[in-house]
Amino acid sequence: MSFLSTPRRVPRSQNLISLNFSAEDIAAIDSTLSTLEEKFSQLIELSVEQRRTLAKMGEKTEGVCRQTLIALKETMAARFTGRHATAKRPPA
């Protein structure tokens, strides 16, 4: 049995990350969260039943929507700049 095929166990209680934030960092994070809460205040909470009735978007539909947005950005850029601008297309 090779070393690579042997699964390694990592204890669950092992801390892999340690972060320390300064007082300024905490203040900046708090300010940013407050701004986000303010900007998202117009969003409504949907009940479970309301969420179940929403249409679901599959992978193919999502791809079509993304390509449409890219084409729209290119068209708008060309219209307002007078030249053809290209956006990076995601891999197919």
Side-chain angles (χ1 to χ4, degrees), residues 39-58:
K39 298 300 179 185
F40 290 136
S41 67
Q42 295 180 11
L43 295 176
I44 60 170
E45 183 176 348
L46 299 177
S47 68
V48 173
E49 187 59 36
Q50 288 171 316
R51 288 192 305 260
R52 284 186 185 144
T53 61
L54 294 174
K56 309 265 186 306
M57 187 180 292

Side-chain angles (χ1 to χ4, degrees), residues 15-64:
N15 288 328
L16 301 176
I17 298 173
S18 176
L19 296 173
N20 294 310
F21 293 111
S22 68
E24 293 82 17
D25 291 338
I26 298 292
I29 292 167
D30 189 44
S31 173
T32 301
L33 288 173
S34 295
T35 300
L36 288 171
E37 287 174 355
E38 176 189 332
K39 298 300 179 185
F40 290 136
S41 67
Q42 295 180 11
L43 295 176
I44 60 170
E45 183 176 348
L46 299 177
S47 68
V48 173
E49 187 59 36
Q50 288 171 316
R51 288 192 305 260
R52 284 186 185 144
T53 61
L54 294 174
K56 309 265 186 306
M57 187 180 292
E59 286 184 27
K60 290 182 181 179
T61 305
E62 181 183 354
V64 169

